[in-house]
Amino acid sequence: MARIAVIGAGMGAMAAAARLAVAGHRVVVYEHTETYGGGVRRYERDGFCFDTGPGLLTLPAVYRDLFLKTGKEPLEDRVDLVQVDPSSRHLFADGSEVWLPNASRAGVVAALDEALGAGTGQRWGDFLVRAREAWDRTRRPLLEEPLWPNWSVLAEREPYPAVPHKRVLRTRRAGTLAEVGAWELRDPRLAALLESHALAYGLDPRETPASAAVLPYMEHAFGTWYVRGGLSELARAVYERCLARQVEFVFGAEVVRILEKDGRAAGVELRDGTVAEADHVVAGVDHHRLGVMTEHRLYGEGDVRPDPRQWARPGRLTVLLALRGPREPGAVHRTVVHAPDRTAELDFLSRRSGRPALPTVTVLRPDDPALRPDEDHESVVVSAVLPSDEERGEDDTGERFTDLVVQAAETALPGLRGRLLWSEVRTPGHADDETGAALGGIPAPALAAGGGRFLHPANTTPLPGLYRVGGWSHPGGGLPHAGMSGALVAGLIVEGPEFRGSQ
């Protein structure tokens, strides 16, 4: 039995802790805040409850596997997991809109044809076929296996089978998500639908590789899911699974240093001077904080290193709205309001322009009695991506951006301001405090191609006994990816460096 110290109680870290405990190890989790979940948390006030992190789940098989492997118990026995249907409603700048059914390619094709015009559904359906090919090519190396030592193969080879496009006497293939939208989908509304999946992680589709086609594919293929009571209920279930497997949690415990002995990780030191020895250390923190904790080099020659731009990753601004009046019958769980000026939005997000523009906004209106005081009120979560350092500026950029987010939300929810009882604004700074991510940045899922800039550092490090877990390590951000990182780290510790992932 090995002693294992886990830094952080995020979803990836807890997934690793539960699996390691089942394997017979003594696991202690040190969390600098007073609760678990990392970015998956809730805010409660006056009988209203809100998810302050992700509000929906894709690829629930990751957490089904976690519960089966750590207790032979279905996930559905621990949480009330339901499919969201329709999956989403999209409102476009020209006034058109479409409601997309959940996990139905044929249904999506029909809905697009009816709402946006004949042929649009077929083009999106053909795109999904190509996206599936990219998914099949990258699923194992980017989700189910430790990062390959020859990861450069993933960095250089574009797995998305782009359609040849004739342009100015030459034939080209789409290399970015924006080019897929412009050259293959050939409709600004379809392009906006595609690009919204990258924008959700703060990725600029003009620079994001075409392999990001796997993001909408995951949603269409595996569905969009909600947990009754909010996604924080999933965090609670994972935490309780850890407790049931004798994982110990120490809250309010900030790790400041990783101890080393005989050339390997040997434990952790806390802010109050407490020292905890361990045989392995699993760090669920971002690159910057991990670097502060140890003087040992974290990247060997040939390793994936964080892109310098990762230090200033965009964050998410979230506005929690407590509304008077009932949720109307037939209201959609998720509405995406697309930006009217795509270029202005992307230039602000990428800091090419300091002027805030109306952003792409997601409005979540779950039909869940657990989130409201009674049937005569409604809790709504509105969010958009914001350059993380804007809220710390000397001007009123953050305040103006919040006003723009609410303004866009009114498109999806007319009369919003007249129903408003109170609101709570959550900036990237809140995520910084709660998750430890520098400036509250959003970790994106690992993506192939793009010269390796969209890959994440391996779960192992050059310091034996020190492992990375969570959104800032392979396979990247997002709830499914965090859960997979926990499985990979547990496999590497239990089975050793020969571990090659689930079969």
Side-chain angles (χ1 to χ4, degrees):
M1 179 179 72
R3 299 165 301 173
I4 299 175
V6 178
I7 305 173
M11 297 298 283
M14 290 197 296
R19 291 174 181 271
L20 288 166
V22 165
H25 300 298
R26 178 171 178 257
V27 184
V28 182
V29 178
Y30 299 92
E31 167 59 42
H32 78 284
T33 70
E34 298 298 332
T35 190
Y36 55 83
V40 183
R41 302 198 183 202
R42 75 169 71 200
Y43 178 87
E44 300 182 24
R45 174 180 163 188
D46 301 338
F48 292 90
C49 296
F50 308 86
D51 279 322
T52 60
L56 293 170
L57 175 67
T58 56
L59 208 60
V62 171
Y63 290 92
R64 289 185 176 125
D65 182 73
L66 171 66
F67 277 81
L68 289 175
K69 296 290 178 59
T70 60
K72 298 181 181 180
E73 181 181 21
L75 171 64
E76 284 82 354
D77 284 358
R78 306 305 304 168
V79 298
D80 188 1
L81 187 66
V82 294
Q83 276 195 309
V84 175
D85 202 9
S87 172
S88 57
R89 172 192 181 206
H90 290 262
L91 303 181
F92 301 102
D94 66 353
S96 59
E97 67 176 87
V98 62
W99 297 35
L100 299 180
N102 199 344
S104 170
R105 178 178 175 274
V108 167
V109 168
L112 288 170
D113 273 341
E114 180 179 355
L116 305 185
T120 55
Q122 186 62 52
R123 288 198 295 277
W124 184 260
D126 291 344
F127 156 74
L128 288 178
V129 172
R130 295 188 290 275
R132 176 177 180 173
E133 189 169 336
W135 167 260
D136 289 341
R137 291 174 177 175
T138 62
R139 175 179 58 86
R140 282 199 61 81
L142 287 186
L143 275 181
E144 298 175 356
E145 299 177 344
L147 189 64
W148 293 347
N150 62 334
W151 57 266
S152 58
V153 175
L154 293 171
E156 297 164 359
R157 183 179 301 168
E158 173 56 71
Y160 177 76
V163 176
H165 172 73
K166 290 185 178 180
R167 189 181 186 196
V168 192
L169 302 180
R170 58 177 176 159
T171 299
R172 297 186 60 189
R173 292 179 181 270
T176 67
L177 209 61
E179 290 172 343
V180 172
W183 300 353
E184 298 180 12
L185 298 179
R186 305 192 309 279
D187 185 301
R189 299 164 299 181
L190 292 182
L193 173 59
L194 170 65
E195 293 179 356
S196 66
H197 292 272
L199 286 171
Y201 293 101
L203 296 172
D204 186 336
R206 299 172 300 189
E207 300 178 358
T208 304
S211 65
V214 299
L215 300 178
Y217 173 77
M218 285 174 60
E219 185 169 303
H220 283 294
F222 305 109
T224 304
W225 300 77
Y226 174 69
V227 177
R228 294 286 184 192
L231 263 290
S232 56
E233 286 297 292
L234 177 62
R236 176 195 56 76
V238 176
Y239 170 68
E240 290 179 351
R241 173 52 49 90
C242 287
L243 294 179
R245 297 299 169 262
Q246 308 304 310
V247 174
E248 180 182 349
F249 285 80
V250 184
F251 294 107
E254 181 182 359
V255 174
V256 295
R257 187 164 68 95
I258 294 170
L259 305 178
E260 298 179 31
K261 183 179 180 181
D262 298 329
R264 63 175 292 116
V268 296
E269 179 182 344
L270 306 184
R271 174 71 66 186
D272 64 6
T274 300
V275 169
E277 296 182 350
D279 301 298
H280 302 276
V281 175
V282 177
V285 297
D286 73 1
H287 317 304
H288 174 71
R289 282 174 169 77
L290 183 57
V292 170
M293 292 175 184
T294 177
E295 297 179 356
H296 196 281
R297 62 188 179 92
L298 293 174
Y299 308 100
E301 185 176 351
D303 286 350
V304 170
R305 296 171 183 262
D307 188 293
R309 282 167 283 191
Q310 293 276 14
W311 301 120
R313 289 283 306 151
R316 185 173 287 112
L317 184 137
T318 303
V319 186
L320 314 178
L321 303 172
L323 304 183
R324 64 171 62 88
R327 181 182 187 272
E328 71 273 18
V332 180
H333 187 119
R334 175 179 56 167
T335 299
V336 179
V337 182
H338 295 274
D341 188 334
R342 169 185 177 273
T343 300
E345 176 188 29
L346 296 182
D347 284 350
F348 175 61
L349 179 62
S350 63
R351 298 176 180 81
R352 298 180 189 178
S353 168
R355 186 173 184 178
L358 272 170
T360 295
V361 167
T362 299
V363 181
L364 296 179
R365 304 178 64 191
D367 186 10
D368 189 345
L371 304 185
R372 54 187 181 246
D374 53 51
E375 292 300 316
D376 292 323
H377 295 85
E378 181 182 9
S379 64
V380 175
V381 177
V382 180
S383 62
V385 175
L386 170 72
S388 295
D389 55 356
E390 291 296 337
E391 60 162 328
R392 289 165 164 72
E394 296 180 358
D395 60 15
D396 62 347
T397 299
E399 183 177 344
R400 284 188 289 149
F401 190 76
T402 301
D403 289 340
L404 291 173
V405 168
V406 175
Q407 178 183 334
E410 287 188 288
T411 306
L413 217 167
L416 183 158
R417 294 182 193 268
R419 296 178 57 193
L420 184 62
L421 289 171
W422 51 263
S423 64
E424 176 75 17
V425 177
R426 311 234 347 144
T427 69
H430 289 94
D432 189 330
D433 295 338
E434 293 174 355
T435 70
L439 298 177
I442 308 169
L447 299 172
R453 291 194 297 112
F454 298 87
L455 296 174
H456 292 267
N459 304 108
T460 55
T461 73
L463 178 62
L466 175 62
Y467 301 83
R468 303 181 184 94
V469 76
W472 298 100
S473 63
H474 178 74
L479 274 175
H481 299 72
M484 285 304 305
S485 76
L488 293 174
V489 167
L492 287 164
I493 292 175
V494 173
E495 299 187 24
E498 68 278 4
F499 176 68
R500 291 295 176 266
S502 58
Q503 299 299 322

